[in-house]
Amino acid sequence: MDPRQQELPLPFPELNDDQPLLPARMVNEYEYCPRLAYLEWVQGEWADSADTVDGRAKHKRVDRKGGELPAKEDWEDQTKIHARSIELSSNRLGLIARLDLVEAEGGRVTPVDYKRGRRPHVAKGAYSPERVQLCMQGMLLEEHGHTCEEGVLYFVESKERVTVEFDQELRDRTLSAINGLRLIAAGGHIPAPLLESPKCPRCSLVGICLPDEVNFLRRGGESPRPMGVGRDEALPLYVQANAAKVAKRGERLEVSVEDKKVTEVRLIDVSQLVLIGNVYVTTPTLHELMRREIPITWHSYGGWFLGHTQGLGHKNVELRTAQYRASFDEHACLRIAKGLVNAKILNTRTFLRRNWRGDGKPEQELEGMKLDAKRALRAENLQELLGIEGAAAARYFGLFGELLKRDDETNFTFDFHHRKRRPPPDPVNALLSYAYTLLVRSWNVALSAVGFDPYRGFYHQPRYGRPALALDLMEPFRPLIAESAVVSAINNGEVRPSDFISAAGSVALTNDGRKRFIGAFERRLAHEITHPLFGYKISYRRVLEVQARLLGRHLLGELDDYPNFLTR
């Protein structure tokens, strides 16, 4: 666009009771990055970073309400006003804002907005998003009858005040930002990610937005910067002791058995609470975990996944709408399912080659699996695809015993011709079943956290109580996480014959055996690998989240295809 051409304002009608007012902070985000504002305002995404936590700490003092801002007609020009944490709104502007501080003297009011960090040495004393946000506060004050010609940005770290004049240029820019955010929200199309922007690495939503990853998949070019996959120190807390009690004590979770404390963990170190069998959770603990959006997953005494509890859940209705729409489209379901099965067969083939312990490579079976993977991409319906997947699974499980370390003392057996799930007839089948249960639970939590409905899938048909989407997306990860954990636990001697009990033709893990296998499974999730597409280091735990978000990008139209995870 010609820079001399003035941008025409796009006004909107005055809001009614059914339309939400735009928070001034969201307009600030739009001015900084339209995609960031869309993610937060329309899709309800949020993630903390060191900067956001520090910013809240810096605002503690000004967030405490102090003083009042009387109506213009109720105070004289000589009145001095010093009011903190004042909330103002305007239906005409479609705005709502909380003003950190309002100063008034001589008939004029001045909004003061607190900012963390030091004053930037840039033109006009501050960056555009901060100036726009301050101007909105001034416009709201004018809507309430006050005279407001300038505002102040106070930078906490350097303790400097920067005066911002509300000239016509800034007012026009502010109105353009307000109308721009309203327009993209009404349009329902997420703005494109910034291209190699220096803004992205410090953005708290970079791991949700995936700007470099989306641009790489759409445009190609250099591998993404490893900025959205920072290490997450929070881990699941497993509780399986019979009649155990989980209670909140300050900022910690305390686990006790028969009123004797067994252990305690800081809440900030807990990503989810996993309860196995008869475990009691206090109501205050439930409330706190819901407030923090830390899910609780419930398992039977035998380890079967029963469900999970969370707070209000994700607000991203847009994503679930796209998910439901695609799930009723036969062509979309088949396209996604073919990719999942193809990736599963290829990952299974790679896993077989890497962990083979037999005499000579099973070249014929490996070649057959390669052909199965190609046939999966040519399947004309889900029934044909199921048959292809079954044939590949028969080849694979027929060779699975050759992946296990031979030890006459362990006496592990495996039915290589049939993968028996219920009831598992031998220890290895029991381990596989339990590993799949843990993987389903991990995917269930990841999908819920991203905003999906885990019960509506594309390949697995919906049935009562079955998390079809979690079962869909776990397919390529069965060999990489679940079966890998089983093979490692057996070959490393982490599980022993004494860790299993047999009754009525069914084999199950004991408490001690389950505890050790959970450790092996969680270590596998924490294992860092080089992402085959993006080239950076990432744990399998984070891979699940990234894959869920990439599926969302595909369903919302940003990516033409869902990029399946294919190990090298």
Side-chain angles (χ1 to χ4, degrees), residues 50-176:
D51 291 339
T52 61
V53 173
D54 183 56
R56 281 200 298 273
K58 295 288 195 300
H59 267 80
K60 277 186 177 179
R61 178 167 172 261
V62 294
D63 285 342
R64 290 196 296 268
K65 194 169 182 64
E68 296 291 338
L69 179 64
K72 174 65 176 176
E73 59 271 15
D74 295 336
W75 59 287
E76 300 176 356
D77 290 349
Q78 292 76 25
T79 303
K80 286 187 177 182
I81 295 174
H82 196 81
R84 295 186 183 277
S85 192
I86 302 299
E87 187 172 287
L88 297 177
S89 63
S90 166
N91 276 5
R92 190 185 70 82
L93 293 174
L95 283 178
I96 186 169
R98 183 177 293 276
L99 285 61
D100 292 339
L101 175 65
V102 177
E103 300 174 337
E105 186 174 3
R108 286 180 168 78
V109 296
T110 303
V112 181
D113 199 23
Y114 280 58
K115 298 297 179 185
R116 61 176 297 276
R118 295 180 174 273
R119 173 178 68 88
H121 296 280
V122 295
K124 299 186 179 180
Y127 293 110
S128 176
E130 285 71 32
R131 296 172 60 246
V132 164
Q133 184 173 1
L134 189 63
C135 185
M136 283 185 283
Q137 297 179 9
M139 294 166 69
L140 284 170
L141 286 166
E142 290 175 342
E143 284 288 301
H144 286 260
H146 301 288
T147 301
C148 185
E149 299 174 350
E150 62 183 27
V152 172
L153 292 170
Y154 178 71
F155 292 89
V156 176
E157 191 171 335
S158 59
K159 298 181 179 179
E160 293 180 271
R161 291 168 65 103
V162 174
T163 301
V164 177
E165 180 186 354
F166 300 151
D167 56 21
Q168 193 58 46
E169 179 186 358
L170 180 56
R171 290 173 182 267
D172 290 343
R173 189 180 191 109
T174 302
L175 287 173
S176 177

Side-chain angles (χ1 to χ4, degrees), residues 345-393:
I345 296 173
L346 292 177
N347 285 342
T348 300
R349 183 175 181 271
T350 302
F351 179 72
L352 198 62
R353 292 174 59 214
R354 285 180 180 174
N355 295 276
W356 183 256
R357 287 177 172 269
D359 298 329
K361 293 287 185 182
E363 299 296 345
Q364 184 176 350
E365 288 80 2
L366 290 173
E367 185 62 28
M369 294 177 71
K370 187 176 181 179
L371 293 175
D372 289 335
K374 292 180 179 179
R375 288 172 55 214
L377 295 178
R378 299 194 297 267
E380 296 184 357
N381 53 60
L382 292 180
Q383 289 71 29
E384 181 183 351
L385 189 60
L386 281 167
I388 296 169
E389 182 191 8

